[in-house]
C-alpha cells in the first residue's frame, strides 16, 4: 500500500489527558491529521463510517467497547482503515486477540512520541507494527489456551460457552 499524502487518524480513548497527549504528538507531524476523537465505544463506528480515517488509534478499555468486535467490524466494513492499539494493558490475551481480529499494531502507552509517529507512518504504508517478541507472546498464549481447552470435557466446554453467552446458573443447569 502506498502511503497517502495526508494520513487521516481517528483517536479513540476515554481519557482526556491521553487524547490531549496523542493530539500534541501528532500535531508535530505535518502529514498526519487527526480527523476525529472518540471518547466512547459507541462513537467509533459512526466516526469511522463518516470520516474514513486511514488509521484508527484504539484504546482497549473504554466505555461501551468490545475491542475485538470493533476491530472485526472495521475489517469487514472499512478494510482501508487500519487499527493501531494504544494501551496500558500489556496482556498476552489482549495482544493475541487483537492480532487475530486484524489490528496492525499493539503499542504500549509508555512508548516515545517519535515511536508513535513512526508507527502511524509505517501502518499507513501497509506495514504490520508487531515486533518479534509480541508475535512470540501471542503464539505462546494461543498454544497454552489450546492445551487448556483440549483438556476440558465436552460439558466443561459447553458450560464455558453458556457463560460467554451471559447465561446464569439456572440457564446453564
Amino acid at each position: 500500500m502506498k502511503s497517502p499524502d495526508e494520513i487521516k487518524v481517528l483517536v479513540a480513548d476515554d481519557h482526556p489527558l491521553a487524547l490531549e497527549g496523542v493530539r500534541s504528538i501528532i500535531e508535530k507531524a505535518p502529514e498526519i491529521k487527526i480527523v476525529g476523537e472518540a471518547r466512547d465505544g459507541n462513537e467509533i463506528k459512526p466516526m469511522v463510517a463518516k470520516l474514513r480515517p486511514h488509521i484508527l488509534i484504539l484504546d482497549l478499555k473504554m466505555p461501551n467497547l468490545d475491542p475485538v468486535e470493533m476491530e472485526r467490524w472495521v475489517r469487514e466494513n472499512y478494510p482501508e482503515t487500519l487499527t493501531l492499539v494504544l494501551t496500558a494493558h500489556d496482556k498476552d490475551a489482549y495482544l493475541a486477540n487483537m492480532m487475530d481480529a486484524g489490528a496492525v499494531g499493539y503499542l504500549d502507552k509508555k512508548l516515545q512520541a517519535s515511536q508513535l509517529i513512526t508507527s502511524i507512518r509505517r501502518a499507513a504504508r501497509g506495514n504490520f507494527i508487531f515486533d518479534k517478541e509480541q508475535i512470540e507472546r501471542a503464539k505462546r498464549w494461543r498454544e497454552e489456551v489450546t492445551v487448556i481447552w483440549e483438556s476440558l470435557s465436552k460439558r466443561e466446554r459447553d458450560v464455558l460457552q453458556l457463560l460467554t453467552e451471559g447465561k446464569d446458573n439456572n440457564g446453564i443447569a
Side-chain angles (χ1 to χ4, degrees), residues 9-166:
V9 175
L10 171 61
V11 182
D13 197 307
D14 60 323
H15 295 100
L17 190 58
L19 281 172
E20 188 175 321
V22 169
R23 187 181 326 110
S24 71
I25 291 167
I26 289 176
E27 285 173 350
K28 293 176 181 149
E31 81 282 15
I32 304 173
K33 180 181 180 198
I34 294 180
V35 294
E37 297 176 355
R39 292 173 178 81
D40 182 285
N42 292 332
E43 296 175 348
I44 299 171
K45 287 181 182 179
M47 291 178 89
V48 167
K50 179 181 179 187
L51 301 171
R52 301 291 182 91
H54 299 109
I55 306 294
L56 167 61
I57 297 178
L58 180 67
D59 184 20
L60 286 183
K61 300 291 184 179
M62 293 176 58
N64 304 307
L65 175 70
D66 175 337
V68 171
E69 183 277 325
M70 180 62 67
E71 178 56 15
R72 288 183 180 142
W73 178 86
V74 171
R75 293 280 52 75
E76 184 176 315
N77 296 284
Y78 300 94
E80 68 281 4
T81 296
L82 305 172
T83 301
L84 286 173
V85 174
L86 181 61
T87 185
H89 301 281
D90 191 28
K91 295 189 183 328
D92 294 350
Y94 298 149
L95 168 65
N97 288 334
M98 290 308 295
M99 191 181 286
D100 292 344
V104 298
Y106 194 91
L107 309 172
D108 191 309
K109 284 188 174 177
K110 294 182 229 168
L111 84 165
Q112 300 293 316
S114 62
Q115 292 172 300
L116 177 60
I117 296 297
T118 299
S119 295
I120 292 169
R121 288 174 177 151
R122 287 184 58 213
R125 287 192 301 267
N127 296 318
F128 287 95
I129 313 302
F130 298 105
D131 62 31
K132 188 174 184 172
E133 184 233 349
Q134 288 176 318
I135 293 167
E136 285 300 315
R137 285 176 43 210
K139 179 182 173 197
R140 194 170 42 252
W141 182 84
R142 286 184 202 101
E143 289 168 355
E144 290 170 4
V145 168
T146 300
V147 168
I148 292 168
W149 181 256
E150 289 174 355
S151 73
L152 299 176
S153 69
K154 179 172 178 356
R155 179 61 184 152
E156 288 169 326
R157 291 180 191 182
D158 291 343
V159 168
L160 283 175
Q161 178 61 41
L162 293 169
L163 284 170
T164 64
E165 293 172 7

